[in-house]
Amino acid sequence: MKFLDVEKYTPIQKSHEAYLKELMEYCKDTPRHPSYHIHPPCGLVNDPNGLAYFGGKYHVFYQWFPFGPEHGMKHWAHVISEDLIKWERSDQMLIPDQEYEKNGCYSGNSIEADGKLYLYYTANYKTEQGKIPKQAMAVMNSDGTILKSPNNPIIDEQPEGLIGEIRDPFVFEKEGAYWMLLGGGSIDGQARLILYKSTDLENWVYQGNIELTGIDLELGYMYECPSYIEIDGKDVLFLSLMGRTPMGERFHNEFSSVYFVGELSLEDKTFHVESFDEIDKGFDFYAPQAFYGKDKQPMMFAWLGCGAQELPYAKEDMWIHSLTMPRFLTIKEGKLCQEVPENIKNEYAHLDIDSKRIKPEEDTWYINLTDKQISEIQIGDQEDHLSIKIDWAAGHIVADRSTLKHQFSTEYGIQREVSMSEELKNIEIYYDNTFIEIYLNDGKDTMTLRAFPENVEINLI
């Protein structure tokens, strides 16, 4: 088909309907579609947004540029599921069609109140002098219709001492009030976690900045995608860091996502950190968002992609990236543990480890390795493979993409490592047609990445 050359900051309009339908049909016939990872019908997906279990169904919104596999005008696409396996696209989404959001509907979260789902997002507004921070709200009613607030932007200010990059609202209820976290940075180059308060979800008052205490750690020049949740009686804060320098084997991605376990004091505007770590040690994980699923189960999705990286086949396929699979969250010994829901795990083709060379019959498969005689897993053939090197006793894993023919941009790295504080007991690998999630010791550490071997087989060495 003939692809349209669409200007970067173009919202979906009525005149695009026929073209987008044709483009989605084209993309449907391209290879490498995952079965259990939410991915775009065309174009680019990045941050998960507005995650909720609402009206007996899971609702996932995500950042979407529909016209090609690159970053452009961001919409909130919307998919719905009852079981986290089968996802149905909804035409009820956020389209940046107002002046205050003229450069896109950027990331945010949702909160249920009075039988409605309140959606919060950053209205991206660029000028020649820089961005002007604006936060907006929309409401999804019980019938699924979404309407933007007539009072948007509900926050239209830049507090003193902060740069114009203020974004990604995360709203939660605590201590009889509503609170909003925003990511940002100071004019002197320090990341800032910004706090607002409301009694009615629409009128917000600036409270200042939340300081992380009990920790001496350089955290970069800006926070993105703040997220807060209570898990097993502990407060847990997610931050995605911009400008964080590497520290040992940590923080080697261009941007890194970190969790902090501790105690949030809204009165003192502090988060006292008891423990922290990168949420995921792979190449392709960013912008996680926590929420409560069915029965108040703490959960998370994240973006399975990496920046503006040009991936193999993206230009010809006309779609790029996905979200991670949903992950159930627990805290064990101060550490965030992540697990794939059992019903999704059971959907994968489970491969028996009965030989050193396995040729999967499906594009989507799962293995659980416990044989400590194995020192390396190769996914692909001898000449073209992802290498996973294992030191069981030391709890050390190295994922190496240098032996793949379809190489990745060097700024995104060739190797990633995990050093656990305990002996390695099992390695679970979920391969979903080039989308790979690795779970160590039942989710005490994870590695998320893409790899494009031409011939998929598993060699155990």
Side-chain angles (χ1 to χ4, degrees), residues 16-87:
H16 296 132
E17 287 183 2
Y19 173 72
L20 285 177
K21 184 177 181 181
E22 183 183 4
L23 183 58
M24 289 179 190
E25 286 298 317
Y26 170 88
C27 292
K28 191 183 295 182
D29 292 333
T30 60
R32 292 169 290 277
H33 287 280
S35 296
Y36 304 109
H37 288 77
I38 295 169
H39 60 292
C42 58
L44 176 143
V45 56
N46 55 302
D47 305 2
N49 295 150
L51 306 180
Y53 186 73
F54 176 70
K57 296 181 179 180
Y58 288 95
H59 293 262
V60 171
F61 297 84
Y62 58 79
Q63 294 280 279
W64 182 41
F65 177 64
F67 297 109
E70 60 270 333
H71 289 283
M73 181 74 101
K74 296 299 172 62
H75 303 62
W76 275 32
H78 182 196
V79 292
I80 304 171
S81 176
E82 294 184 358
D83 59 6
L84 298 169
I85 295 173
K86 297 177 182 177
W87 294 92

Side-chain angles (χ1 to χ4, degrees), residues 149 165 248 260 280 319 325 407 452:
S149 170
E165 296 277 6
F260 302 88
D280 187 278
W319 67 272
M325 291 186 292
Q407 279 299 328
F452 298 86

Side-chain angles (χ1 to χ4, degrees), residues 18 25 59 137 143 153 178-179 189 195 241 290 327 332 347 376 385 391 403:
E25 286 298 317
H59 293 262
M137 181 185 77
D143 63 0
Y178 296 106
W179 306 87
L195 182 66
L241 312 181
R327 300 180 181 183
K332 297 177 182 176
E347 289 289 316
E376 183 179 357
H385 61 264
D391 184 332
T403 44

Side-chain angles (χ1 to χ4, degrees), residues 356-417:
K356 292 296 181 74
R357 181 176 179 272
I358 306 163
K359 182 67 175 176
E361 297 180 0
E362 307 287 343
D363 292 328
T364 296
W365 47 263
Y366 161 87
I367 61 172
N368 186 356
L369 189 67
T370 58
D371 184 350
K372 296 185 179 180
Q373 301 304 309
I374 303 299
S375 62
E376 183 179 357
I377 306 167
Q378 295 179 353
I379 301 175
D381 59 31
Q382 294 288 336
E383 306 298 323
D384 174 31
H385 61 264
L386 168 72
S387 171
I388 303 168
K389 300 181 177 71
I390 314 164
D391 184 332
W392 294 87
H396 187 71
I397 297 285
V398 178
D400 187 341
R401 297 199 291 200
S402 64
T403 44
L404 287 164
K405 288 182 180 178
H406 291 288
Q407 279 299 328
F408 297 78
S409 303
T410 55
E411 66 264 31
Y412 293 98
I414 300 300
Q415 292 186 346
R416 290 290 179 268
E417 300 181 41

Side-chain angles (χ1 to χ4, degrees), residues 157 196 204 277 294 353 357 390 436:
E157 65 179 5
Y196 278 79
W204 295 88
D277 201 353
K294 186 178 181 181
I353 311 299
R357 181 176 179 272
I390 314 164
I436 302 170

